[in-house]
Amino acid sequence: MKLATWNVNSVRQRLDLVLDWLKREQPDVLMMQEIKCETDQFPKAAFEDAGYGCAVVGQKSYNGVATLVRGDFSVTTDHLPGFSDPAARYVEVRTQDMVLGNLYLPNGNSGGEQGYATKLEFLNALTARARLLLAEETDFALAGDYNICPAPIDCAPGALGPEDALVRPQSRAAYRRLLWLGLTDALRALHPTGAAYTFWDYQARTWERDCGLRIDHMLLSPRLAERLQSAEPDRNERAMPRPSDHVPFIVTLKDPAKTNA
DNA sequence: ATGACCCCCGCAGGGGGA
């Protein structure tokens, strides 16, 4: 099974790029963030023609998430329970006996201290969601743009200042609290060391200098983690004409193990 | 140099992003 997450930075600007990528990569699921359109403006027909069903939570101008799924699925929630902000930042589906949460965390650098507090509130609600799914023994993945560099290796030297909301100790501690529940960071499970950036700012030629960040992540519940086969950012997409500033992050899982009881 | 990129709305330039 092939799962991907991609902050596309406007699905309407990136439609042809995403369709080409889907045709080439053939994922079973693509979780997109920052679609930047209202739900009824989402180019649903184009994705359906490509063989995908769509779970869309949009809003005007900003934010917005959409999950593309091949085959049967249902939407389990169109918002993150326990997070009161109305921004379109979470959609969750059930497919192939697993729950897939698609999330776009607040950046936390705008809106002053309240803006940063909202980021931590989202992380608290996400942690509660993970705890609930673990208690139910549901297999699940939580994927998307976390807007957190979990460790120093995930931020290129000089890319961000020490006070930036993406690297602040409280942001990193909140990310670790998710892991401590028993979740697995798919990228680091297979690539414990080294840079694995998923984002390069449009400004200051950061792509040419490989001055990037790892901020797009997929966390796996225990049984899914046992099936983990590969986890790779698709750097090719950053070199395309008119790219998103984020690249797709692709995770493949082995088929569920046959019962050997 | 109040620079520099890109997208949004909507028609000028301000907000947001990371």
Side-chain angles (χ1 to χ4, degrees), chain A residues 47-259:
Chain A
F47 291 118
E48 285 173 349
D49 288 348
Y52 293 90
C54 308
V56 184
V57 178
Q59 70 177 82
K60 195 178 176 75
S61 304
Y62 305 117
N63 309 317
V65 288
T67 301
L68 306 182
V69 188
R70 255 191 190 155
D72 293 339
F73 75 98
S74 59
V75 176
T76 48
T77 178
D78 62 2
H79 68 283
L80 181 59
F83 182 67
S84 53
D85 189 302
R89 294 183 176 275
Y90 191 80
V91 64
E92 191 185 274
V93 302
R94 178 183 289 277
T95 185
Q96 297 194 34
D97 292 317
M98 62 180 76
V99 164
L100 302 173
N102 172 3
L103 57 106
Y104 174 48
L105 248 94
N107 172 299
N109 280 313
S110 63
E113 277 312 302
Q114 183 52 49
Y116 188 66
T118 302
K119 178 175 195 165
L120 297 180
E121 285 163 22
F122 189 103
L123 283 159
N124 282 339
L126 188 64
T127 304
R129 187 69 180 162
R131 206 177 271 125
L132 177 77
L133 293 168
L134 285 166
E136 293 175 349
E137 299 193 32
T138 300
D139 293 337
F140 67 95
L142 298 176
D145 179 355
Y146 280 72
N147 270 318
I148 296 172
C149 301
I153 189 68
D154 300 313
C155 176
L160 299 173
E163 299 303 316
D164 195 284
L166 280 64
V167 298
R168 274 166 61 173
Q170 282 175 286
S171 304
R172 288 177 166 166
Y175 189 82
R176 287 195 297 272
R177 272 196 291 279
L178 274 170
L179 298 180
W180 290 336
L181 295 174
L183 305 187
T184 295
D185 180 328
L187 188 286
R188 282 296 169 224
L190 295 178
H191 307 287
T193 61
Y197 305 138
T198 62
F199 167 91
W200 295 260
D201 198 288
Y202 289 120
Q203 299 187 64
R205 301 176 64 253
T206 61
W207 169 245
E208 289 78 1
R209 297 184 291 119
D210 196 22
C211 185
L213 307 173
R214 185 174 79 98
I215 52 178
D216 299 276
H217 311 299
M218 191 177 304
L219 303 190
L220 302 174
S221 66
R223 275 190 299 263
L224 290 193
E226 291 187 16
R227 294 167 51 188
L228 181 57
Q229 190 164 40
S230 70
E232 305 287 344
D234 185 355
R235 292 174 61 106
N236 295 328
E237 287 302 305
R238 192 64 178 79
M240 292 290 183
R242 302 186 65 237
S244 171
D245 41 5
H246 297 248
V247 295
F249 174 52
I250 309 171
V251 171
T252 62
L253 305 178
K254 290 175 251 186
D255 290 337
K258 293 188 175 64
T259 53

